[in-house]
Amino acid sequence: MPAATIRTIEPMVVALPRDTPYLGPLGPGEEVNARGYFVRRGNRTIYPTVDRSVLVKVTASDGTVGWGETYGIVAPEAVVAILRDVMIPVLAGRDPSDPPAIYDELYDLMRVRGASGGFYGDALAAIDIALWDVAARRAGVPLATLLGGARTQRIPAYVSGLPRATLDDRVALAQDWVAAGFPAVKYAAVVSREGVAAEMHALRTALGPAVDLMVDLHWKYTADEALALAASMAPARPYFIEAPCAPEDVAGLARVCAAAGLPVAAGEEWRNVHEARLRLERASLAYVQPEMGHTGVSQFLAIARLAAAQGAAVVPHATIGVGVFMAASLHASSVLADCPYHEYQHSVFDRNLRFVDTAMACAAGAYRVPDGPGLGTVPRDDLWQYLVPA
């Protein structure tokens, strides 16, 4: 294959309107501020009222175009600034054929300043996904083939989020999803206003013993609080409890893993294998949840390899996006030996599929991995009406 170089890299922000805020209607004391953000009182975390992400278009000298995408729901301009000021000038004219090596080089630029994660890590993820897309398209194969070959074209999906105002309505929604063929449901503790344990037991009673139930604890609790909550939920047999302690509380996470008597999942906020190793060396997690929008393909796979070495399965996280990093996540997940589920953010994934050309889909309890070269997923012209002016 003739050599190619990187000709242009173009970052852009899109913001898609939505009727109901992420995770469900606003609760008591939750108000939208002048910038379009609100703070969930349940976990003190800021969210936007729109679905927003950062896209990156990489064009090679032979005309091949690759697309990347990263998390951009809060302060996406920070990611764009890092791309434009730091990364794009370094990559101009470079050979795009070795994305992991490029990732490591860009990571090194800021590691001694303590800026290897956060917004910097997100910018890295977008570049990495786009470069993998370029590499696979130039090879004329799906990304999964370039990553070693897909083991499956069907990845089991769990329903994530029950965005309804009352417990009865959330239970009814979960029943609808199970009736549609989905074998697993996760709810969010941050909006579980009638009680987290009460919701777990209500779902178990309504859905029966065969459905896998998960709960996202959204880093709300101390280790002692999480252990008490785990004990109260244990009779309902949760498939896992997710993110029980603050991200910084590695000791607390380790305690919960050791003493909860329930499988524990974590990892959506990790940007790279270094952050993962700091946790996995201490905490016996049952499930690791890499988020492609944070990790990119290269670090997603590095984290998955580390998880396998530690005896943990990979259940990838899925966040807000238009579908580009979701396509990358499905390709990468399809090559893993132990991926029992992939998160399905139905309130995001389904409504945003109309903005991409893809065979990717999720129905009857499983994702279909997109086909075609590269990611098998490209933005449609309809998306650009939601482009945020630079």
Side-chain angles (χ1 to χ4, degrees):
M1 182 190 305
T5 58
I6 297 171
R7 189 169 70 200
T8 60
I9 302 176
E10 304 167 71
M12 56 202 82
V13 178
V14 293
L16 309 177
R18 59 183 300 142
D19 296 328
T20 301
Y22 180 64
L23 297 179
L26 296 182
E30 297 176 350
E31 297 179 354
V32 179
N33 68 20
R35 293 289 292 176
Y37 295 112
F38 63 95
V39 176
R40 288 286 186 197
R41 294 176 67 87
N43 64 350
R44 306 180 303 280
T45 299
I46 193 167
Y47 295 90
T49 54
V50 296
D51 285 356
R52 189 163 48 205
S53 67
V54 178
L55 290 164
V56 169
K57 179 182 180 183
V58 173
T59 305
S61 57
D62 63 359
T64 304
V65 172
W67 287 95
E69 182 185 21
T70 187
Y71 188 93
I73 65 172
V74 175
E77 296 85 357
V79 176
V80 172
I82 290 167
L83 287 164
R84 287 179 174 157
D85 196 49
V86 180
M87 297 181 181
I88 292 174
V90 171
L91 295 181
R94 295 286 299 278
D95 180 348
S97 62
D98 192 351
I102 291 174
Y103 185 104
D104 289 345
E105 180 180 341
L106 294 175
Y107 178 92
D108 284 348
L109 297 178
M110 293 292 286
R111 69 189 305 175
V112 300
R113 300 188 179 100
S116 54
F119 289 122
Y120 195 85
D122 289 347
L124 277 169
I127 287 284
D128 186 74
I129 294 167
L131 292 179
W132 276 109
D133 193 21
V134 168
R137 288 182 183 278
R138 295 194 71 236
V141 298
L143 175 59
T145 301
L146 209 61
L147 300 179
R151 296 170 180 264
T152 181
Q153 293 299 315
R154 182 183 182 278
I155 299 173
Y158 74 83
V159 171
S160 182
L162 301 170
R164 298 292 185 269
T166 69
L167 177 56
D168 287 344
D169 288 342
R170 292 194 293 275
V171 169
L173 180 58
Q175 290 174 310
D176 290 344
W177 282 114
V178 172
F182 285 84
V185 175
K186 185 176 80 179
Y187 66 99
V190 66
V191 291
S192 188
R193 299 183 183 96
E194 292 89 343
V196 178
E199 186 152 346
M200 175 64 72
H201 288 289
L203 287 167
R204 176 58 72 209
T205 298
L207 301 179
V211 174
D212 288 331
L213 294 177
M214 303 91 154
V215 57
D216 188 347
L217 300 181
H218 281 276
W219 308 280
K220 285 183 57 170
Y221 301 102
T222 66
D224 287 340
E225 291 168 342
L227 288 170
L229 185 57
S232 66
M233 291 189 292
R237 298 178 294 102
Y239 185 83
F240 63 63
I241 59 173
E242 176 180 339
C245 303
E248 304 85 358
D249 188 6
V250 181
L253 178 64
R255 276 190 61 209
V256 174
C257 289
L262 297 173
V264 179
E268 72 174 80
E269 75 277 20
W270 307 342
R271 264 67 175 191
N272 54 63
V273 72
H274 311 295
E275 294 181 351
R277 185 175 293 110
L278 291 172
R279 278 79 178 174
L280 289 173
E281 286 180 346
R282 298 182 63 183
S284 299
L285 289 165
Y287 302 101
V288 171
Q289 301 171 293
E291 166 53 65
M292 181 63 70
H294 286 323
T295 65
V297 176
S298 298
Q299 290 300 303
F300 181 103
L301 293 174
I303 292 169
R305 289 190 292 269
L306 179 63
Q310 298 289 334
V314 175
V315 177
H317 184 263
T319 191
I320 293 171
V322 301
V324 172
F325 64 61
M326 266 303 304
S329 190
L330 294 179
H331 276 285
S333 298
S334 76
V335 310
L336 301 180
D338 192 4
C339 182
Y341 284 113
H342 193 298
E343 184 170 19
Y344 169 45
Q345 291 271 14
H346 55 92
S347 70
V348 175
F349 181 83
D350 292 346
R351 63 190 295 275
N352 292 348
L353 269 182
R354 68 188 187 275
F355 296 116
V356 289
D357 283 324
T358 185
M360 174 174 58
C362 191
Y367 279 105
R368 182 170 70 240
V369 181
D371 53 17
L375 296 176
T377 302
V378 296
R380 299 184 61 187
D381 289 343
D382 291 353
L383 177 62
W384 306 130
Q385 65 184 301
Y386 299 110
L387 189 68
V388 177

